[in-house]
Amino acid sequence: MTAFDPSQHPHRRYNVLTGEWLLVSPHRALRPWKGKVEETAPPQRPAYDPGCYLCPGNRRAEGVVNPPYDSTYVFVNDFRALLDEIPTAPTDDSPLLRIQGTRGTCRVICFSPRHDLTLPQMALTDIRRVVDVWAEQTAELGRSWRWVQVFENKGDLMGCSNPHPHGQVWAGDALPNEPTKEDAAQRAYRERQGSVLLLDYVRTELARGERIVDSNADWVVLVPFWAIWPYEVMVLPREPVLRLYDLSSLQRDRLAAITQRFLQAYDALFQCSFPYSMGWHGAPTDAGNYAHWQLHAHYYPPLLRSATVRKFMVGYELLAEAQRDITPEQAAATLRSRLG
Ligand code: H2U
Ligand code: ZN
């Protein structure tokens, strides 16, 4: 038997942020594919679409008319998943049937008045404006709500309902599952090691180099050691930052720049507008002590080997644990080769 090689032999990797394991099966990457082939989106869209509910001046589904906005535009989601006010929820007697009332709000963030653009196609100053809106929304909603989730679903593969460039922000009084796991892991690490988990992680990755996609004076883009999705990346500051609104003007400029660069590399990967779900995780916005936190973004793209072949989270993933074929190191090398 030959020596163990993580680029060839099945193994498990530990996600230090969530405490979950991942199965890596690099030898499977070359298996034949006779499964679902996704349609590719029509390449050209008009700069203005009279039928789009996000374009300036258009009427939305519930009758509200968008203003003639010329940069970003934020509005309260007409079909929000969380409401500011609800009656007090009853507690159930059974410990097996736990329920809690929850309050919050949801907004939609239009990134641009231009219907035909995506984030990486926008001018750098306009991407920078989106960074400011992410920060402003987190600051404003964070005054009322414990968790503010900024996110974007891009592409119909990720269930995005409209190609007009936009993201969302949901804010609520509960700490949802993913940040709860990250909070516990970062807190435990800080208690054990006396340092911040994700700062130590970035330093480790910069020293190793093999999973780094790109970096600049303030930011690192990497494929995490424990990435589940084929071309998943994390965006991390080099210095301690708790929340989006703590970023300096220069850090925001450099975030816009590195985001534009790696999103263009995403698009170049399979010559398509690369779909993903992304979102920001920063310290919760209640009065707790969150010195163990470090701001970061996750990008979860579904595509595996072309614009039309996606990864499904099914079978073993749903019933046992997540699994990937190409290694995070291979994915990082491929993304690096697509940087402009
Ligand atoms: P996606 O980012 O998943 O496409 O969702 C867009 C949101 O826009 C979705 O949450 C909202 C939907 O509720 N929306 C409105 O608020 N008004 C509309 O007129 C249509 C869609
Ligand atoms: Zn539009």
Side-chain angles (χ1 to χ4, degrees):
M1 194 101 186
T2 51
F4 176 79
D5 175 357
S7 72
Q8 280 186 40
H9 300 125
H11 59 278
R12 293 169 83 214
R13 296 190 188 194
Y14 187 68
N15 182 337
V16 293
L17 252 192
T18 61
E20 288 164 356
W21 288 88
L22 159 81
L23 174 62
V24 186
S25 317
H27 61 292
R28 282 184 90 229
L30 293 175
R31 74 191 189 283
W33 181 263
K34 287 201 178 158
K36 185 164 165 51
V37 172
E38 306 289 343
E39 309 241 330
T40 41
Q44 276 304 324
R45 298 199 303 270
Y48 167 77
D49 177 353
C52 167
Y53 57 77
L54 299 179
C55 275
N58 288 2
R59 188 175 299 275
R60 298 208 301 272
E62 296 289 88
V64 180
V65 175
N66 297 324
Y69 67 97
D70 57 11
S71 99
T72 56
Y73 170 53
V74 180
F75 62 90
V76 177
N77 197 311
D78 298 308
F79 308 98
R80 34 200 289 210
L82 293 161
L83 303 171
D84 306 77
E85 290 305 332
I86 51 157
T88 306
T91 44
D92 199 286
D93 291 339
S94 170
L96 300 176
L97 305 172
R98 292 177 64 186
I99 181 172
Q100 52 182 215
T102 187
R103 295 177 179 78
T105 191
C106 305
R107 295 177 178 173
V108 177
I109 305 172
C110 299
F111 295 158
S112 162
R114 286 271 304 268
H115 185 81
D116 56 336
L117 298 181
T118 64
L119 212 44
Q121 293 168 328
M122 286 165 51
L124 196 53
T125 49
D126 295 336
I127 299 175
R128 166 60 206 269
R129 174 74 199 129
V130 171
V131 171
D132 281 337
V133 173
W134 287 338
E136 286 161 18
Q137 290 297 313
T138 307
E140 184 193 325
L141 292 166
R143 283 191 281 275
S144 308
W145 305 109
R146 183 178 184 201
W147 183 253
V148 182
Q149 184 60 61
V150 169
F151 66 99
E152 177 191 0
N153 292 320
K154 176 170 176 265
D156 46 14
L157 232 50
M158 291 315 282
C160 177
S161 58
N162 185 332
H164 193 112
H166 70 284
Q168 300 191 44
V169 53
W170 294 18
D173 59 1
L175 198 62
N177 292 337
E178 294 303 311
T180 295
K181 287 183 264 180
E182 294 191 356
D183 182 60
Q186 291 176 99
R187 189 184 299 276
Y189 185 90
R190 169 99 185 194
E191 277 162 14
R192 214 168 46 239
Q193 309 282 337
S195 52
V196 174
L197 187 156
L198 285 177
L199 283 171
D200 289 358
Y201 178 62
V202 162
R203 268 180 226 123
T204 303
E205 289 291 18
L206 285 169
R208 300 290 177 98
E210 55 185 346
R211 282 170 295 274
I212 303 293
V213 175
D214 197 11
S215 63
N216 63 24
D218 284 318
W219 295 92
V220 177
V221 176
L222 54 80
V223 180
F225 178 75
W226 53 79
I228 290 178
W229 294 94
Y231 293 95
E232 174 178 338
V233 302
M234 279 177 80
V235 182
L236 295 137
R238 288 176 186 260
E239 298 299 320
V241 182
L242 286 187
R243 303 179 182 94
L244 277 164
Y245 53 80
D246 299 319
L247 292 170
S248 70
S249 180
L250 205 50
Q251 284 174 313
R252 294 178 192 206
D253 288 344
R254 289 174 177 149
L255 173 59
I258 203 166
T259 299
Q260 186 184 48
R261 261 172 70 77
F262 87 83
L263 289 184
Q264 286 176 354
Y266 263 178
D267 283 358
L269 187 56
F270 300 133
Q271 283 89 47
C272 68
S273 184
F274 206 63
Y276 57 75
S277 276
M278 68 76 64
W280 284 98
H281 285 161
T285 40
D286 61 11
N289 177 4
Y290 294 113
H292 51 287
W293 265 86
Q294 172 72 342
L295 176 74
H296 59 278
H298 297 278
Y299 282 77
Y300 300 128
L303 291 181
L304 174 58
R305 46 169 97 182
S306 72
T308 54
V309 175
R310 63 163 294 165
K311 173 177 177 59
F312 286 96
M313 287 287 180
V314 292
Y316 196 79
E317 278 95 344
L318 284 180
L319 291 151
E321 68 190 12
Q323 182 265 341
R324 65 177 293 133
D325 300 346
I326 57 163
T327 64
E329 297 73 41
Q330 289 159 351
T334 304
L335 286 173
R336 276 198 302 275
S337 76
R338 300 299 199 281
L339 285 173

